[in-house]
Amino acid sequence: MSELTGVEWTRRQFVTALAAAGLTGSTMVAGRAVAQTPLDPDEAVRELMAGNGRFVAGKLSSFDHDLEILKAGTVEKQEPFAAVLSCADSRVPVELVFDQSIGHLFVARVAGNMVTPEMIGSLEYGVAVLGVKAILVLGHAKCGAVSAAMKGQEVPGQISVLYQHMMPAIGNEHDVTAAVKANARFQAQLLGESSTVVAKAVKDGALKVVAGYYDLASGRVMLV
């Protein structure tokens, strides 16, 4: 047998433990579905990237989960292993992109994947109450929010209030791809600095905060 990678070994250990406890595809523990595997922060990030690899390869495994059991088992409690702060863009279906199902990811979405007080509060809940092990701030190709902020043009309604949250990261950048990546990195850093809950969890080694870029054409996520 070939040597297993860290993520493969973690997943194999988890499946083996379930089998040893008499738990098969239903993954039921005391009447509820298992969503949070025993991952540390690094393993949580690796699992996100492994899931994205399956998405890119067209080998999704999340559709094989028993959705009725997952729904029934997460009615009273949720235990996601990671949180994702994503843009609201319809072309970025977060759970699909990372090949995850019900109860696995805690997702916060706002145009431009920006850190605002509301987003901080939501993600703090994910860390302090739900116990997520990793937070990924996810930007994406051809982001309309970033492009609009770069142009600074007059727009209808309250769309322009988004600009102030992205401009510190974008600066005088003229390339949209570079600006999107810079914004994701900036928002991840801002989250770690603005939230005492997140900062403490990172300091204690219980949480990892990373930034990523989603390519619409390939479906691949890269850490930036």
Side-chain angles (χ1 to χ4, degrees):
M1 181 183 295
S2 60
E3 184 176 355
L4 297 173
T5 66
V7 170
E8 289 169 336
W9 176 238
T10 299
R11 292 169 65 84
R12 181 67 59 82
Q13 284 181 312
F14 182 54
V15 172
T16 301
L18 290 175
L23 305 168
T24 56
S26 63
T27 64
M28 295 294 288
V29 174
R32 64 179 177 82
V34 173
Q36 188 177 60
T37 59
L39 304 179
D40 65 29
D42 287 326
E43 290 169 337
V45 173
R46 287 199 295 269
E47 172 56 22
L48 284 174
M49 301 309 292
N52 179 243
R54 296 191 296 273
F55 173 72
V56 173
K59 297 180 179 180
L60 297 177
S61 63
S62 57
F63 291 135
D64 295 331
H65 299 172
D66 190 320
L67 296 184
E68 288 301 317
I69 289 175
L70 282 175
K71 286 188 289 186
T74 54
V75 169
E76 300 299 332
K77 185 178 182 180
Q78 58 171 316
E79 294 183 307
F81 72 87
V84 179
L85 173 55
S86 169
C87 181
D89 196 295
S90 64
R91 298 168 294 179
V92 189
V94 177
E95 283 83 359
L96 276 177
V97 166
F98 294 106
D99 189 30
Q100 302 298 327
S101 190
I102 296 172
H104 295 168
L105 298 181
F106 186 71
V107 181
R109 303 191 67 161
V110 62
N113 43 274
M114 306 171 304
V115 171
T116 66
E118 294 81 5
M119 292 297 107
I120 291 175
S122 297
L123 294 170
E124 285 181 337
Y125 180 83
V127 173
V129 179
L130 304 181
V132 299
K133 302 302 182 184
I135 298 176
L136 171 61
V137 179
L138 185 64
H140 67 91
K142 304 184 186 300
C143 180
V146 170
S147 297
M150 291 173 67
K151 296 174 183 177
Q153 296 175 339
E154 184 175 347
V155 289
Q158 300 185 48
I159 297 174
S160 60
V161 302
L162 303 173
Y163 298 172
Q164 61 183 311
H165 300 286
M166 292 178 283
M167 288 311 299
I170 296 172
N172 295 318
E173 183 62 64
H174 298 291
D175 178 73
V176 175
T177 298
V180 168
K181 293 178 180 179
N183 183 54
R185 288 193 298 269
F186 173 79
Q187 303 299 338
Q189 180 181 351
L190 182 60
L191 177 62
E193 295 175 349
S194 302
S195 168
T196 55
V197 172
V198 171
K200 184 179 186 304
V202 171
K203 182 179 180 180
D204 292 344
L207 176 72
K208 192 163 189 176
V209 180
V210 296
Y213 175 84
Y214 176 62
D215 182 74
L216 297 177
S218 68
R220 188 173 300 281
V221 172
M222 62 190 76
L223 298 181
V224 297

